[in-house]
Amino acid sequence: MTSTCLNLHRLHLPHSDCCSCLKLQTHTMGLVYLLQIDEEVAKLLELKARLGGDDGKHQFVLKTAKGTRDYNPKQMAIREKVFNTIISCFKRHGAETIDTPVFELKETLTGKYGEDSKLIYDLKDQGGELLSLRYDLTVPFARYLAMNKITNIKRYHIAKVYRRDNPAMTRGRYREFYQCDFDIAGQYDAMIPDAECLKIVYEILHELDLGDFRIKVNDRRILDGMFAVCGVPDDKFRTICSTVDKLDKMSWEDVKKEMVNEKGLSEQAADQIGEYVSMQGGMDLAEHLLQDQKMSQSKQACAGLSDIKLLFSYLQLFQVTDKVVFDLSLARGLDYYTGVIYEAVLTQAGVASVTTEAQNGAPGSTEESVSVGSVAGGGRYDGLVGMFDPKGRKVPCVGVSIGIERIFSIMEQKAEVSAEKVRTTEVQVMVASAQKNLLEERLKLTAELWNAGIKAEVMYKKNPKLLSQLQHCEESGIPLVAILGEQELKDGVVKLRVVATREEVSHTVDIHTSRAL
């Protein structure tokens, strides 16, 4: 050991040139590693204990992923009823249906949703393709049209979409949810297809009886013209539009603050925008704005205002103007809109009357319930298909998306406060027996009913009690029960009982071959 090494040892500092010091270093490092291993083993043992100890059973965390939910049979019955109402309306207007994959190439979805693009779910690279879950049904529809060289179609599409959003479950806002879209693609005379889309929204909301509603209408060209005459720089149009779109959730003061402090807009420009976005009306407002000193300077705005006037003339013919309002605050932030835009919202009275009762007057329940948000929205997007077409060929499109999940939330709340029982099956007849040892006869008769297209059910017991079978009918809402007994076998008949009234009639039937009820 050298003198330098001794001096370093006195200072408790190991020296790398000394064999003894190297041994000491190695020993010390070994102890450190052993301590780290012991710590990690302890962590693993603790985790193992939490997951079920040494019995080898893994204890799962039983919950749905954030922003998703399960649906019980009662909820699914309500959903099915709503779907049937919507599909019936779509078909009444001559639509056919398509389907597209649940995921698309990432580049297909990129750049189509403005600031909301951050909400797209990206998937891991699979075989060299960068994929994302679909954010809506409109962009896949445009890709479908371009890929198949379709220039005109009237279609509906009902499927799940995915958004990496901050969910608000009580307001029907999820990360996985259904969209119900209706779109008209093709070159047609102005505003006729647009008016039909608004008529469809009107019909669906009226038939579902959700309460009073309003359909707000605007035009992206009017917005862009308004931004231009108010002094908004061209490169800020889209971002300012996204801020204006928040007016249904934020006060004007907060929206203005975001425009000025975060988006860098001048106060003067923001104040001028504030004057316009406070305006609401109908055809008369469009006529007034056409004469407005500033708005009349924008060819874009004038074209949009002329189309709004034409739209309202068609809406009068469709008898829906009592629910439609021209609202300059409506912006809809999606980048692909090029013309008319619209959004349907429930009024406070229509929602609060249901939800406050459902929540038994819980503090804040009214505020929570009335902020349901829009229940339908859409607009014209004439340039989207051209983005995918190799030659840039445009296919004009207009459509509407029904906010089905928010509608479901309201319908479920209505069902909770209603005394009406929700049926979860469609069984028409319960095949029952009054005595024992009639299982074969019950099964034969049930099979004949199935073969005839009648929805029937039988209890899975050899000798069920008649009372149990009748109680099952009452609980399940089955309207009729076909009763077999020893006397009925002798007489060659089956008793058909109406469960609600207990009225009975006898029908002749060949019990042994079970033909004809």
Side-chain angles (χ1 to χ4, degrees):
M1 185 177 290
T2 65
S3 58
T4 304
C5 187
L6 283 170
N7 291 331
L8 289 170
H9 268 283
R10 289 190 191 101
L11 295 171
H12 304 288
L13 297 173
H15 185 47
S16 58
D17 293 334
C18 173
C19 291
S20 299
C21 290
L22 285 171
K23 287 179 182 179
L24 179 61
Q25 280 183 317
T26 304
H27 180 67
T28 303
M29 290 172 66
L31 289 174
V32 170
Y33 288 143
L34 285 173
L35 286 171
Q36 288 177 337
I37 290 170
D38 287 343
E39 286 177 7
E40 294 302 319
V41 169
K43 288 178 183 178
L44 288 171
L45 289 173
E46 184 183 351
L47 179 61
K48 185 179 180 182
R50 287 207 307 267
L51 294 175
D54 296 324
D55 57 5
K57 293 181 180 179
H58 178 67
Q59 293 184 355
F60 291 97
V61 178
L62 297 177
K63 65 182 288 292
T64 58
K66 185 179 180 181
T68 66
R69 62 181 289 201
D70 294 322
Y71 297 93
N72 61 41
K74 182 179 176 181
Q75 291 168 327
M76 286 305 298
I78 294 169
R79 290 167 76 88
E80 194 171 57
K81 182 181 177 181
V82 174
F83 275 136
N84 289 340
T85 299
I86 293 171
I87 291 171
S88 175
C89 180
F90 289 162
K91 288 184 175 181
R92 186 163 63 242
H93 286 263
E96 49 196 349
T97 190
I98 67 166
D99 195 13
T100 61
V102 72
F103 46 80
E104 296 274 350
L105 294 178
K106 183 178 179 179
E107 64 183 31
T108 300
L109 305 182
T110 301
K112 310 301 189 302
Y113 304 106
E115 293 184 0
D116 284 345
S117 291
K118 62 182 180 292
L119 303 180
I120 295 173
Y121 271 110
D122 291 332
L123 304 177
K124 286 187 177 180
D125 179 12
Q126 298 290 335
E129 289 188 335
L130 294 176
L131 306 173
S132 298
L133 292 177
R134 61 187 173 202
Y135 177 89
D136 68 1
L137 301 179
T138 307
V139 171
F141 174 55
R143 189 267 307 154
Y144 171 85
L145 294 181
M147 195 173 91
N148 294 283
K149 297 181 173 59
I150 296 170
T151 56
N152 66 300
I153 187 175
K154 185 190 291 185
R155 82 88 171 89
Y156 74 89
H157 188 187
I158 298 177
K160 286 184 175 180
V161 298
Y162 300 85
R163 297 184 183 179
R164 200 179 60 191
D165 205 348
N166 187 26
M169 309 291 275
T170 56
R171 291 165 53 190
R173 185 173 171 182
Y174 305 96
R175 289 181 165 180
E176 176 196 62
F177 57 95
Y178 273 98
Q179 276 193 343
C180 298
D181 280 18
F182 174 95
D183 292 84
I184 301 171
Q187 188 73 51
Y188 302 109
D189 287 341
M191 296 298 105
I192 301 174
D194 310 64
E196 184 172 11
C197 287
L198 291 170
K199 173 66 171 173
I200 285 170
V201 175
Y202 181 97
E203 288 179 5
I204 288 172
L205 296 182
H206 180 73
E207 289 177 43
L208 292 176
D209 192 24
L210 301 174
D212 196 20
F213 61 91
R214 290 289 178 273
I215 304 173
K216 298 188 288 185
V217 176
N218 200 1
D219 193 296
R220 183 51 73 77
R221 293 167 296 174
I222 297 173
L223 281 167
D224 286 351
M226 177 183 71
F227 293 149
V229 300
C230 289
V232 179
D234 291 355
D235 61 346
K236 290 187 182 292
F237 276 18
R238 293 284 77 87
T239 187
I240 294 300
C241 187
S242 294
T243 302
V244 171
D245 193 37
K246 298 175 183 178
L247 273 170
D248 60 337
K249 307 177 190 74
M250 296 163 53
S251 67
W252 167 248
E253 288 73 22
D254 291 333
V255 167
K256 179 184 174 182
K257 194 178 295 182
E258 182 175 313
M259 285 180 179
V260 175
N261 297 344
E262 296 179 28
K263 304 291 177 72
L265 191 66
S266 69
E267 279 208 38
Q268 184 182 3
D271 288 335
Q272 288 183 48
I273 291 172
E275 290 177 17
Y276 284 115
V277 297
S278 63
M279 295 181 179
Q280 292 184 357
M283 190 186 294
D284 56 340
L285 177 58
E287 290 173 347
H288 169 73
L289 289 171
L290 280 168
Q291 307 302 319
D292 183 82
Q293 188 176 358
K294 286 183 179 177
M295 291 290 271
S296 60
Q297 295 173 8
S298 168
K299 289 183 179 180
Q300 248 190 328
C302 289
L305 289 165
S306 296
D307 275 351
I308 289 289
K309 280 183 62 180
L310 185 60
L311 176 67
F312 269 86
S313 70
Y314 294 144
L315 294 177
Q316 286 177 345
L317 298 174
F318 283 153
Q319 302 175 3
V320 299
T321 49
D322 60 313
K323 298 293 185 183
V324 182
V325 58
F326 176 27
D327 186 338
L328 269 74
S329 71
L330 178 65
R332 295 193 66 79
L334 298 180
D335 274 6
Y336 52 66
Y337 287 125
T338 58
V340 168
I341 51 177
Y342 34 82
E343 188 170 85
V345 295
L346 297 182
T347 60
Q348 291 191 354
V351 186
S353 60
V354 175
T355 50
T356 47
E357 287 182 60
Q359 301 191 23
N360 296 317
S365 60
T366 302
E367 184 181 351
E368 181 76 20
S369 63
V370 299
S371 56
V372 172
S374 66
V375 289
R380 177 160 286 281
Y381 51 102
D382 289 345
L384 189 56
V385 178
M387 291 184 184
F388 299 111
D389 192 281
K391 296 182 179 179
R393 288 171 293 201
K394 292 186 178 181
V395 178
C397 296
V398 65
V400 65
S401 181
I402 307 298
I404 194 71
E405 298 294 347
R406 288 173 175 175
I407 290 174
F408 287 148
S409 296
I410 296 164
M411 296 294 282
E412 286 173 17
Q413 290 167 352
K414 288 183 73 173
E416 285 177 15
V417 301
S418 171
E420 186 179 349
K421 197 170 184 179
V422 177
R423 281 201 69 186
T424 56
T425 74
E426 296 181 6
V427 175
Q428 299 164 287
V429 183
M430 175 80 180
V431 178
S433 58
Q435 282 91 27
K436 295 181 178 181
N437 303 318
L438 295 177
L439 176 61
E440 288 187 12
E441 285 73 15
R442 283 191 294 132
L443 295 180
K444 285 180 182 178
L445 182 56
T446 303
E448 285 294 324
L449 293 171
W450 288 338
N451 293 340
I454 296 171
K455 298 164 185 172
E457 193 174 45
V458 64
M459 288 194 81
Y460 305 135
K461 284 189 176 182
K462 286 186 177 180
N463 299 304
K465 293 179 180 179
L466 180 60
L467 181 61
S468 298
Q469 296 169 90
L470 295 174
Q471 284 177 338
H472 175 72
C473 291
E474 290 181 357
E475 291 168 3
S476 303
I478 300 172
L480 299 172
V481 55
I483 304 174
L484 294 172
E486 292 176 0
Q487 189 61 47
E488 284 75 20
L489 283 171
K490 291 178 184 177
D491 298 340
V493 298
V494 60
K495 282 184 182 177
L496 195 62
R497 175 185 286 195
V498 179
V499 175
T501 63
R502 300 187 181 181
E503 295 177 19
E504 290 185 357
V505 291
S506 295
H507 285 269
T508 302
V509 62
D510 186 341
I511 298 296
H512 299 289
T513 59
S514 300
R515 286 177 186 165
L517 187 61

